[in-house]
Amino acid sequence: MPSAPLPAAPRWATPHRLLQLSVVVAIATIVLKTLAWVVSGSVGLLSDALESLVNLVGALFALGMVTIAQRPADDEHPYGHAKAEYFSAGFEGLLIFGAAAGIIWASAQRLLSPQPLEQVGLGLVLSVVSSALNGGLAWLMMRSARAHRSLALEADARHLYTDVWTSAGVVVGLLAAMATGWLWLDAVVALAVALNILKEGAELIWRSSQGLMDQSLDAEVVAEIEQRVQRFCEPWQGQVYSDRLVSRRAGQRSFVDMHLHMPADWSLGRAHELRNTLEAELMAAVPGLVASIEVLPRGENTEYEKTIQSEEPTA
């Protein structure tokens, strides 16, 4: 099964640059939405402004984590720093939880004590403009996140999308309150928005935890690797075969480890050449992949595997 083509993204749209842009846009939206809340007195617009403040903190943290993730391996971190991106995604999820809690608190207060709305039209205009900025940036960030396989960038994009949905809900609530005269609708919609973004926060925290625990690559990618390895071994009609294929993802990098068995009387040079050819083919087929193949004689396992097998309970 061929790899799905990666979505195109502008060359300049690297995770680092987009997160810098996210900081600038977050500051702009905070100003716009705070003004919208001040002129209208809407608790829904207040919840929108709080969400944008969380966006700023999240973008700053994500920018720091992406910078760390790009550092090369060193003596203390011989496998690199790519997993730093998972901390960013988890932190974004926690920030979303905090924003939702603030929205729920403010909405509950306003639900118990409804207050008249003022200059709603201007407030809505400011909110829509800021949402357009967030929506456009989130769309570009999501494309770049998939192209660069950056979880930190994807997490920030998803966070921005929650901000867009928050704004849309606020606009609906304000229009409904204006049309019906039911001021409590403003608070009810804000509560609904808070509950909705909690789901997004939970998903980000879950994905972050799975990445830190060395979650395997997507099933489609693993299946493609297995098929390519099988086709590679077919010309030797059973003399060469593979087993023990395991995979993991660490930030923007993907890793696969496996054994390649071949006849014991083959020369070391021949075995080395065959292994390198397969490693190069796999890394060319899956962008960002680091393939590590251990060569073993046919029918043999490593000492570690023999130890594990001896410890397994017998039926």
Side-chain angles (χ1 to χ4, degrees), residues 53-77:
L53 180 61
V54 173
N55 287 346
L56 174 60
V57 178
L60 288 170
F61 189 82
L63 181 59
M65 290 300 100
V66 166
T67 302
I68 293 175
Q70 292 174 344
R71 292 177 182 173
D74 53 37
D75 292 339
E76 294 184 353
H77 306 89

Side-chain angles (χ1 to χ4, degrees), residues 69-299:
Q70 292 174 344
R71 292 177 182 173
D74 53 37
D75 292 339
E76 294 184 353
H77 306 89
Y79 292 97
H81 302 77
K83 283 191 175 183
E85 291 201 23
Y86 293 120
F87 291 103
S88 174
F91 185 65
E92 291 263 10
L94 292 175
L95 287 178
I96 290 176
F97 272 29
I103 293 171
I104 290 172
W105 180 84
S107 301
Q109 298 299 314
R110 185 58 61 89
L111 189 61
L112 295 174
S113 302
Q115 297 181 15
L117 302 175
E118 301 175 359
Q119 301 186 52
V120 174
L122 178 58
L124 288 178
V125 170
L126 293 172
S127 179
V128 169
V129 171
S130 62
S131 294
L133 289 174
N134 279 334
L137 179 59
W139 176 78
L140 180 59
M141 291 176 73
M142 188 62 77
R143 291 174 61 196
S144 183
R146 290 169 181 165
H148 292 279
R149 292 177 171 80
S150 171
L151 183 59
L153 195 59
E154 179 183 343
D156 202 55
R158 290 184 179 277
H159 197 171
L160 288 178
Y161 275 131
T162 65
D163 190 272
V164 173
W165 282 112
T166 299
S167 299
V170 167
V171 169
V172 170
L174 285 174
L175 292 176
M178 292 171 60
T180 63
W182 299 341
L183 298 179
W184 52 266
L185 280 176
D186 179 36
V188 168
V189 170
L191 284 171
V193 167
L195 295 176
N196 179 61
I197 66 176
L198 281 174
K199 177 182 177 183
E200 191 72 37
E203 181 179 345
L204 285 176
I205 292 173
W206 171 254
R207 291 189 61 189
S208 173
S209 67
Q210 294 302 297
L212 290 172
M213 292 191 295
D214 288 333
Q215 185 180 30
S216 65
L217 302 181
D218 295 339
E220 295 81 3
V221 177
V222 174
E224 180 180 352
I225 292 174
E226 291 176 339
Q227 290 175 10
R228 287 182 177 273
V229 172
Q230 183 178 0
R231 288 197 298 268
F232 182 86
C233 295
E234 282 176 357
W236 285 277
Q237 300 179 349
Q239 292 190 79
V240 177
Y241 63 91
S242 68
D243 62 10
R244 305 289 181 177
L245 190 151
V246 295
S247 66
R248 67 183 179 93
R249 185 182 299 281
Q252 300 179 35
R253 305 303 298 270
S254 302
F255 298 85
V256 63
D257 298 283
M258 56 179 287
H259 292 167
L260 188 64
H261 297 263
M262 57 189 67
D265 57 355
W266 281 14
S267 69
L268 180 61
R270 184 179 183 184
H272 173 75
E273 181 180 359
L274 194 65
R275 181 197 63 189
N276 283 2
T277 301
L278 179 56
E279 285 183 350
E281 182 176 325
L282 293 179
M283 290 189 289
V286 182
L289 179 70
V290 177
S292 298
I293 301 176
E294 184 173 3
V295 175
L296 293 172
R298 286 190 302 169

